[in-house]
């Protein structure tokens, strides 16, 4: 009994330490964002609780750069990426889960294999294709948004996740819908999709987080300051205010708020939807 208690205490202690180490950078970033101009952020020993607590850094960083423009650009890009991922991943996954056709397994495993290829490895050909299609912000803003969204419009992870969710749906439900007069598209839209809402929510959360924090591709594609997304804008902020880390910290904290809000909005679906991806099939 004592050995069991000691074992549990050891495991929980390790988990608590790892959690604190993971959270500390965010806590330090938030602490820096609230520090006044007379406080030394590099003081030793470090001060977690600001002595001169102020919101001025947030007001200043919002006013001195086009932060609202960066924010809306990120909202548009992340929103389009999420919408296209949900639609295209669902449409691609359903035939792989329910329909029988020659080469089905080869197609599925080929899609899964692309997960092992990092985006950096294919970035150059994707950039050339995007350039040839004139999907740069130098053409117009719409083309700029499309150039940021299209390479991430569908993902192998999304197709896999949705396929696993579709496999959990009893075939009898679909057969009943067909008997009631639904065609395949109506059955998919009105019967199948409502049954996989939790999985759609999980895919939306992962896609939103990935798109919102994407820095490499937008930094390559964007040439106009007015088209910058938040990660690129914050990097630009670091160049403009390299001596004022308070502004950089405040800008970084503001950029995390939409992710937290989006996750909390989808939280009730998250756990049940996440478990759908664990089904063998």
């Amino acid at each position: 009994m004592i050995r069991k208690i000691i074992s549990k205490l050891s495991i929980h202690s390790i988990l608590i330490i790892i959690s604190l180490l993971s959270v500390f950078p965010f806590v330090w970033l938030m602490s820096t964002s609230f520090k006044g101009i007379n406080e030394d952020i590099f003081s030793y020993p470090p001060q977690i609780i600001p002595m001169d607590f102020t919101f001025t850094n947030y007001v200043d960083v919002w006013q001195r750069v086009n932060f609202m423009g960066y924010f809306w650009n990120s909202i548009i890009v992340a929103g389009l990426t999420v919408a296209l991922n949900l639609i295209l991943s669902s449409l691609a996954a359903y035939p792989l889960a329910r329909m029988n056709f020659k080469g089905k397994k080869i197609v599925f495993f080929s899609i899964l294999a692309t997960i092992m290829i990092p985006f950096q490895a294919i970035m150059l050909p994707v950039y050339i294709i995007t350039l040839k299609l004139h999907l740069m912000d130098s053409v117009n803003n719409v083309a700029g948004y499309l150039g940021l969204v299209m390479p991430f419009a569908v993902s192998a992870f999304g197709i896999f996740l949705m396929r696993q969710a579709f496999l959990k749906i009893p075939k009898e439900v679909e057969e009943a819908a067909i008997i009631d007069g639904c065609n395949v598209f109506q059955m998919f839209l009105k019967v199948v999709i409502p049954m996989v809402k939790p999985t759609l929510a999980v895919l939306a959360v992962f896609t939103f987080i990935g798109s919102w924090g994407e820095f490499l591709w937008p930094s390559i594609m964007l040439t106009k300051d007015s088209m910058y997304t938040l990660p690129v804008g914050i990097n630009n902020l670091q160049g403009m205010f390299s001596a004022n880390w308070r502004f950089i910290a405040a800008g970084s904290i503001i950029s995390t708020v939409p992710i937290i809000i989006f996750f909390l909005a989808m939280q009730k679906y998250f756990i049940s939807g996440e478990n759908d991806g664990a089904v063998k099939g």
Side-chain angles (χ1 to χ4, degrees), residues 58 61-63 65-80 145 148 208 211-214 222 224-235 237 250-262:
Y58 289 89
V61 76
W62 195 274
Q63 292 177 346
V65 296
N66 185 23
F67 212 87
M68 197 64 186
Y70 302 157
F71 182 85
W72 282 114
N73 289 334
S74 288
I75 288 287
I76 292 170
V77 171
L80 287 173
Y145 289 131
L148 294 177
F208 185 85
S211 177
W212 189 267
E214 179 63 32
L222 298 175
K224 296 191 294 189
D225 180 85
S226 61
M227 286 291 294
Y228 282 177
T229 56
L230 269 176
V232 182
I234 290 172
N235 184 67
L237 183 71
S252 300
I253 292 295
I254 293 172
S255 69
T256 63
V257 172
I259 295 177
I260 296 171
I261 293 173
F262 191 80

Side-chain angles (χ1 to χ4, degrees), residues 102-149:
K102 191 174 181 180
K104 174 179 165 182
K105 287 189 176 181
I106 295 174
V107 171
F108 177 61
F109 288 120
S110 298
I111 291 171
L112 282 186
T114 62
I115 295 177
M116 297 183 290
I117 303 173
F119 180 70
Q120 291 81 357
I122 61 171
M123 189 169 58
L124 182 58
V126 172
Y127 176 77
I128 293 172
I129 293 170
T130 307
L131 200 62
K132 297 282 187 183
L133 293 174
H134 304 290
L135 297 179
M136 300 285 289
D137 65 334
S138 56
V139 179
N140 55 60
N141 289 356
V142 175
Y145 289 131
L146 290 176
L148 294 177
V149 171

